[in-house]
Structures are given as C-alpha cells and as structure tokens.
Amino acid sequence: GQQLNQSPQSMFIQEGEDVSMNCTSSSIFNTWLWYKQDPGEGPVLLIALYKAGELTSNGRLTAQFGITRKDSFLNISASIPSDVGIYFCAGQSAGGTSYGKLTFGQGTILTVHP
Amino acid sequence: DGGITQSPKYLFRKEGQNVTLSCEQNLNHDAMYWYRQDPGQGLRLIYYSQIVNDFQKGDIAEGYSVSREKKESFPLTVTSAQKNPTAFYLCASTPLEHSGSPLHFGNGTRLTVT
C-alpha cells in the first residue's frame, strides 16, 4: 500500500523558535492535509493543499504541496507553548475506490519549552 | 453545534468479549471512517463507508465489523478475533462534495482490553 514517511519523529524546541517538518510519499497524491492532535483528542485540520506547488498559510503556519506531488512540508514560525502536540501529514488520492481515503504519516511530536 | 460524537471516551473490556464503539455525526456527511491509532504510529484505516448500507474494508479490517444503517451512524464492533484490540479509535466523516474534502474527526474512544 501507499506509505508516508514523516520527519522528524519528535522535536524539542525553545519558545520563539521556528519549526519545520515534512512528509514524503512513494506515491502521488492529489491532496495533502496537515492535522494537529492534542493528547486524548481527535486530530484537527490545520491546512489543506490541493495543487502541486501550492503554498498556503494559516496564521503562523505555512505548508507547501511539493511539485512532484510526492511531498509536503509544514513550517511553524515563532513557536508558543500551545503549539505542543502531534502533527500529522496525510495524503489523499482521488477517484475510484480510494476516493476520500487518507494515508497518514507517523506523526511529529512537538515539545515547546517556555 | 454540528460535529462527530464518539462514545464512550474510555472503555474497558475483558479479553474474549466483543465491544461496540459508537460514532454519530450531525454534519450530513456522506462518508464515514474508522481509524486505529497506536503510540508512535500514524492512523490506520479499519473500515469506511461512502453510502448507507455499504462499507469497505480498510487496511486493518481483520477482527472488526461495522454497519451503516443510517447516514448519521457508523458503529464499530471490536470482536474477540482482534488479537491486539487495545488502542485509541477515531471516527471521521467527510461530505465527499469534491475530491479532497478533508476528514473531520471525533474525539476518540480509548479501548483497553485486559
């Protein structure tokens, strides 16, 4: 099946630092999504990307859909303590029986020290 | 408020017992999904349904069963055949209005089997 490699697995940073994480795939995706999950909660959508090369921002978050359609990155600028959590990338293929199904990366655990 | 409700939040069962996890949505979404989350791993798809009275196996369907008798409801039964059922289970839905509609997640049920 399709696989997503997300890195890094974990990050320990100081408040105010910038963060970067990425995902690479063995397959082409038509949609890339980035989610954040707080402990004991469900993932919440941060950014959705629909076109190769697309660069989208949501406040301090910026994500890009790679030109090859096999990768994506998420940047967080000027991190704050509430950025703590697990960040997941997810890729979605279109059409056929895979319509609407997501393939998830393993997650990046972010810890922010005040 | 519209959303996805999973119940209960925590569930404890003895080995050998079947258990059913509830998922209800009032978002009028067409498709519903069940994912399993284990520490250090991404979300893995168990079953999904794109229309009432129809569902498909995901990547790890063995030991699980589902039904979709109503658009709003997609219960998951963890059977005694599931060899390692202790995990965090997440239900999600999407409207499937267009290719790439992001999934909306519930807040999960943590199942512990001893």
Side-chain angles (χ1 to χ4, degrees):
Chain A
Q2 296 170 327
Q3 293 188 358
L4 281 185
N5 292 314
Q6 183 171 350
S7 64
Q9 287 188 332
S10 60
M11 302 183 73
F12 299 84
I13 63 171
Q14 292 293 128
E15 183 177 359
E17 290 184 2
D18 297 342
V19 172
S20 184
M21 60 192 77
N22 69 83
C23 279
T24 57
S25 169
S26 57
S27 307
I28 289 173
F29 288 117
N30 290 334
T31 299
W32 280 96
L33 306 169
W34 284 93
Y35 286 88
K36 182 193 177 197
Q37 184 179 29
D38 291 325
E41 305 292 330
V44 174
L45 181 69
L46 298 174
I47 292 180
L49 303 160
Y50 297 107
K51 287 173 55 177
E54 179 180 357
L55 183 71
T56 297
S57 293
N58 178 8
R60 294 179 295 106
L61 277 60
T62 301
Q64 183 157 30
F65 192 144
I67 288 293
T68 65
R69 294 164 64 192
K70 291 186 176 182
D71 63 308
S72 177
F73 72 74
L74 174 71
N75 289 341
I76 305 173
S77 63
S79 59
I80 58 178
S82 62
D83 289 336
V84 165
I86 305 176
Y87 291 79
F88 289 100
C89 63
Q92 185 166 286
S93 301
T97 58
S98 65
Y99 192 62
K101 286 172 57 181
L102 292 182
T103 301
F104 282 83
Q106 303 95 322
T108 295
I109 302 171
L110 179 63
T111 303
V112 180
H113 295 289
Chain B
D1 277 9
I4 302 172
T5 301
Q6 290 188 242
S7 62
K9 181 72 172 174
Y10 300 95
L11 194 52
F12 298 88
R13 280 295 182 270
K14 294 288 187 185
E15 194 173 325
Q17 292 179 334
N18 292 354
V19 59
T20 298
L21 282 60
S22 169
C23 179
E24 304 278 333
Q25 55 101 357
N26 59 5
L27 300 167
N28 198 34
H29 284 175
D30 303 298
M32 298 185 73
Y33 305 79
W34 275 104
Y35 285 88
R36 171 184 171 133
Q37 186 175 25
D38 295 286
Q41 298 193 37
L43 281 65
R44 292 183 292 168
L45 182 64
I46 304 172
Y47 267 99
Y48 66 104
S49 167
Q50 296 183 341
I51 195 170
V52 173
N53 292 323
D54 188 47
F55 47 83
Q56 283 79 41
K57 293 181 179 179
D59 301 317
I60 55 165
E62 186 174 348
Y64 299 98
S65 65
V66 294
S67 63
R68 187 88 185 277
E69 297 177 2
K70 299 186 300 181
K71 187 176 185 178
E72 307 79 30
S73 178
F74 191 41
L76 173 74
T77 297
V78 184
T79 75
S80 57
Q82 169 49 235
K83 292 183 173 33
N84 187 17
T86 295
F88 190 50
Y89 290 88
L90 287 160
C91 178
S93 69
T94 184
L96 288 182
E97 290 170 346
H98 62 86
S99 173
S101 294
L103 296 188
H104 301 259
F105 284 89
N107 277 331
T109 292
R110 185 166 297 281
L111 173 64
T112 303
V113 177
T114 58

